[in-house]
Amino acid sequence: MLVLFRLKKIKIFMGKELTSRSQDYSQWYNDLIIKGQLADYSAVRGCMVIKPYGFALWENMRDVLDKMFKETGHQNAYFPLFVPKSLFEAEEKNAEGFAKECAVVTHYRLKTDPNNAGKLMVDPEAKLEEELVVRPTSEAIIWNTYKGWIQSYRDLPLLINQWANVVRWEMRTRLFLRTAEFLWQEGHTAHATAEEAVEETRRMLDVYADFAENWMALPVIKGVKSPNERFAGAEDTYCIEALMQDGKALQAGTSHFLGQNFAKAFDVKFSDKNNKLDYVWATSWGVSTRLIGGLVMAHSDDDGLILPPRIAPIQVVIVPIYKGEEQKAQIDEVVSVMMKEMKALGITVKYDDADNSRPGWKFAEYELKGVPVRIAVGARDLANQVVEVARRDTKEKQTISISGIGAYTQALLNEIQESMFNKAKVFQQEHITPANTWEEFVNILDTKAGFVSAHWDGTPETEEKIKELSKATIRCIPLDNPKEEGVCILSGKKSTQRVLFARAY
RNA sequence: CGGGACGUAGCGCAGCCCGGUAGCGCACACGUCUGGGGGGCGUGGGGUCGCAAGUUCAAAUCUUGUCGUCCCGACCA
């Protein structure tokens, strides 16, 4: 009790105190992002600065995904930030869907303000002939380009991805989860047949699920969106849905089958083997820095971030505990051997021997930052040829022999990765609850949250009504969904299957 | 766009009601004792109080305006 009190007091004095999840989940999330050094607020409304630690995390995620995309045959390219308005509006549904949240460039020059010394004003003389839309997504500019690249079935499939920033002028933003500008990748592919395009859509959905589960330790449900939730301009939107610790769902990635909508809008035709002209079939798919928000919310605890080893910027941190230069030198020597061993095994390890903060401070700091494994090495340990190994996820500490520490650590990292996934998976499974009546449905949402599996009559009207009454939306119709006769929880009309509802971010 | 908060040192805040020329903790610098869970003691540096106008002998404090940020909703990934 006394210890707890002291610890709490210290935390307050250090200005690092975290809001607990039970106290205020949103604030807890914000605290983790800011104090865990992932990102910072910026001078621009709704836009954040991704700090080095957060960016290192994103780079790790990006690198893994990039490799996966290349292994599935894709190439990277880069298209412009700006989209001429006339191109943007070509695919009507897509344009309409994004119109409300577009930043638009109307002028290309500033000038000194004659009425306001030292200030600049937009030069009214420099108005653009045609406004430029800052891309909220790149289908328009890309399909306009593809028109010139595709003539024959021999040009297909065209499998391209780009890493980019996009801008969506959101009314309300949240660090990582919804920022006005965000980083993402968007894949845009063109195919000769609908079947092939659908196959591509599903393939990339699998890539996303694989990445989320095996790298981020984030269990997801693969499914297809209801028409209401579909991407503007798509025929079908597939998604992976994750569950956060507060029971709210998070759309973690989407893969769209675009049919021939964009090919028609941008007049992209090809000749098949029989010299017959047809529009090409398209897909697009993307994940964004939002994944980082999901990662934080799914795994972390009241002491800070908990990052899965496979994408953590630092997997192991070594903290020396010493008195005097002589002890420090001895520790340095042993640590350098340990580090060499670990690096040879591909482990990312940091030795924090900075003398300006003390061991206890470092322990707390690396816990806050979610480093999976911490190793403390002191003079006492060296005498016994051991070190103290602490894992972040469970907070367990063990004394481990120095010989073979590399292999031990590697195994531990794997175990943490697996254990984090399993824990999240159990949570997810426990939060998929069937509801058979409206009362039950609302009650589950209000008390337990998570996914609610319920019958729905299949109409957009009912879906809209449910959303209005309960704030829950259909997250997806799971891919392997069993057929089951039933009646809609709201309308009482016939239904052939249950779908997953949840309140979502 | 509606509702609610808040802008005072790098960070977190007090001071404002009742005007008198700015303070606390952390961080920072130096010294020293320390070192196995956010150290102790001592000394020190750092602020046009968001911005603008007004009232006043005097404004962080009162008045008006303005800009910005965050939180909660509506919208969305």
Side-chain angles (χ1 to χ4, degrees), chain A residues 196-451:
Chain A
E196 202 184 301
V198 170
E199 197 182 307
E200 165 78 3
T201 310
R202 296 285 297 265
R203 178 183 304 118
M204 299 324 286
L205 186 75
D206 287 343
V207 165
Y208 287 156
D210 177 13
F211 176 72
E213 300 203 329
N214 295 317
W215 294 82
M216 297 176 64
L218 186 65
V220 293
I221 292 168
K222 290 190 277 189
V224 64
K225 288 286 185 191
S226 63
N228 272 10
E229 298 283 324
R230 203 176 273 158
F231 176 75
E235 294 290 310
D236 256 324
T237 287
Y238 293 83
C239 63
I240 51 172
E241 290 286 326
L243 192 60
M244 305 295 103
Q245 291 181 63
D246 63 347
K248 285 171 86 171
L250 181 79
Q251 180 173 305
T254 47
S255 185
H256 315 290
F257 169 59
L258 302 175
Q260 292 176 312
N261 296 340
F262 283 89
K264 285 177 179 164
F266 291 91
D267 194 31
V268 185
K269 291 181 208 164
F270 74 106
S271 302
D272 68 14
K273 285 179 185 169
N274 306 313
N275 199 27
K276 195 170 143 276
L277 269 185
D278 194 10
Y279 291 106
V280 303
W281 299 82
T283 83
S284 73
W285 29 273
V287 295
S288 72
T289 37
R290 171 179 246 209
L291 282 177
I292 294 177
L295 185 73
V296 170
M297 280 209 189
H299 297 307
S300 304
D301 67 18
D302 289 348
D303 293 316
L305 300 168
I306 301 180
L307 300 179
R310 293 190 84 183
I311 53 170
I314 303 167
Q315 294 176 308
V316 178
V317 64
I318 302 178
V319 177
I321 299 164
Y322 58 93
K323 206 184 294 188
E325 285 307 308
E326 197 183 327
Q327 283 189 4
K328 172 68 167 41
Q330 288 171 357
I331 292 168
D332 283 351
E333 202 174 314
V334 173
V335 167
S336 89
V337 175
M338 286 169 50
M339 301 233 322
K340 205 170 159 189
E341 192 181 327
M342 288 186 207
K343 281 180 182 167
L345 291 166
I347 296 170
T348 311
V349 52
K350 170 179 172 172
Y351 180 38
D352 187 352
D353 66 342
D355 198 33
N356 54 9
S357 48
R358 298 168 63 261
W361 193 89
K362 290 177 185 172
F363 292 174
E365 186 65 11
Y366 289 107
E367 267 162 24
L368 178 56
K369 296 179 89 170
V371 175
V373 172
R374 180 188 74 233
I375 299 179
V377 191
R380 223 155 64 196
D381 301 307
L382 293 192
N384 302 315
Q385 287 295 299
V386 295
V387 291
E388 182 195 82
V389 179
R391 53 189 282 187
R392 174 62 184 92
D393 61 335
T394 60
K395 296 279 200 69
E396 288 165 340
K397 289 191 252 193
Q398 277 190 296
T399 303
I400 302 297
S401 163
I402 289 176
S403 77
I405 189 70
Y408 176 85
T409 306
Q410 189 176 43
L412 181 60
L413 288 169
N414 288 337
E415 192 190 318
I416 292 170
Q417 180 80 31
E418 200 178 325
S419 155
M420 283 178 69
F421 176 78
N422 290 338
K423 187 180 172 199
K425 183 74 182 175
V426 167
F427 182 83
Q428 182 210 52
Q429 290 298 308
E430 283 173 350
H431 287 81
I432 301 175
T433 317
N436 296 311
T437 66
W438 178 250
E439 290 67 34
E440 234 180 349
F441 181 80
V442 174
N443 187 43
I444 293 162
L445 286 171
D446 285 340
T447 57
K448 182 181 174 189
F451 293 111

Side-chain angles (χ1 to χ4, degrees), chain A residues 101-120:
Chain A
E101 45 189 307
C102 285
V104 185
V105 180
T106 55
H107 293 74
Y108 60 87
R109 196 165 61 208
L110 298 171
K111 64 174 196 177
T112 55
D113 187 339
N115 303 316
N116 208 346
K119 305 287 184 193
L120 294 172

Side-chain angles (χ1 to χ4, degrees), chain A residues 59-108:
Chain A
E59 283 176 316
N60 284 347
M61 294 165 67
R62 192 190 61 188
D63 290 351
V64 172
L65 282 166
D66 197 65
K67 192 158 171 267
M68 288 174 144
F69 298 155
K70 284 169 181 162
E71 277 168 1
T72 43
H74 304 84
Q75 289 181 297
N76 285 333
Y78 187 79
F79 296 84
L81 171 68
F82 302 117
V83 186
K85 188 166 80 68
S86 57
L87 286 185
F88 187 74
E89 63 202 8
E91 209 295 321
E92 261 179 70
K93 279 187 185 151
N94 187 253
E96 215 176 282
F98 284 102
K100 303 186 295 299
E101 45 189 307
C102 285
V104 185
V105 180
T106 55
H107 293 74
Y108 60 87

Side-chain angles (χ1 to χ4, degrees), chain A residues 36-216:
Chain A
Q37 308 267 300
L38 295 179
D40 214 342
Y41 293 109
S42 77
V44 191
R45 192 207 77 99
C47 297
M48 64 175 179
V49 174
I50 303 177
K51 296 183 78 175
Y53 190 60
F55 203 79
L57 178 60
W58 175 242
E59 283 176 316
N60 284 347
M61 294 165 67
R62 192 190 61 188
D63 290 351
V64 172
L65 282 166
D66 197 65
K67 192 158 171 267
M68 288 174 144
F69 298 155
K70 284 169 181 162
E71 277 168 1
T72 43
H74 304 84
Q75 289 181 297
N76 285 333
Y78 187 79
F79 296 84
L81 171 68
F82 302 117
V83 186
K85 188 166 80 68
S86 57
L87 286 185
F88 187 74
E89 63 202 8
E91 209 295 321
E92 261 179 70
K93 279 187 185 151
N94 187 253
E96 215 176 282
F98 284 102
K100 303 186 295 299
E101 45 189 307
C102 285
V104 185
V105 180
T106 55
H107 293 74
Y108 60 87
R109 196 165 61 208
L110 298 171
K111 64 174 196 177
T112 55
D113 187 339
N115 303 316
N116 208 346
K119 305 287 184 193
L120 294 172
M121 60 180 285
V122 172
D123 186 348
E125 305 281 302
K127 196 169 186 321
L128 289 169
E129 285 288 312
E130 181 180 4
E131 294 90 343
L132 296 173
V133 177
V134 179
R135 62 183 168 210
T137 181
S138 302
E139 273 80 4
I141 189 75
I142 288 180
W143 279 91
N144 174 256
T145 308
Y146 281 1
K147 179 180 166 58
W149 291 0
I150 298 169
Q151 278 86 37
S152 149
Y153 74 93
R154 295 176 201 274
D155 298 323
L156 299 173
L158 183 57
L159 305 173
I160 287 181
N161 174 64
Q162 88 164 343
W163 290 95
N165 58 340
V166 289
V167 169
R168 296 182 187 176
W169 214 265
E170 300 290 351
M171 295 187 202
R172 197 174 149 238
T173 56
R174 271 162 82 60
L175 294 167
F176 284 112
L177 293 178
R178 180 168 297 106
T179 45
E181 179 193 12
F182 57 93
L183 303 183
W184 77 343
Q185 58 69 216
E186 45 183 328
H188 296 273
T189 70
H191 306 265
T193 65
E195 295 68 38
E196 202 184 301
V198 170
E199 197 182 307
E200 165 78 3
T201 310
R202 296 285 297 265
R203 178 183 304 118
M204 299 324 286
L205 186 75
D206 287 343
V207 165
Y208 287 156
D210 177 13
F211 176 72
E213 300 203 329
N214 295 317
W215 294 82
M216 297 176 64

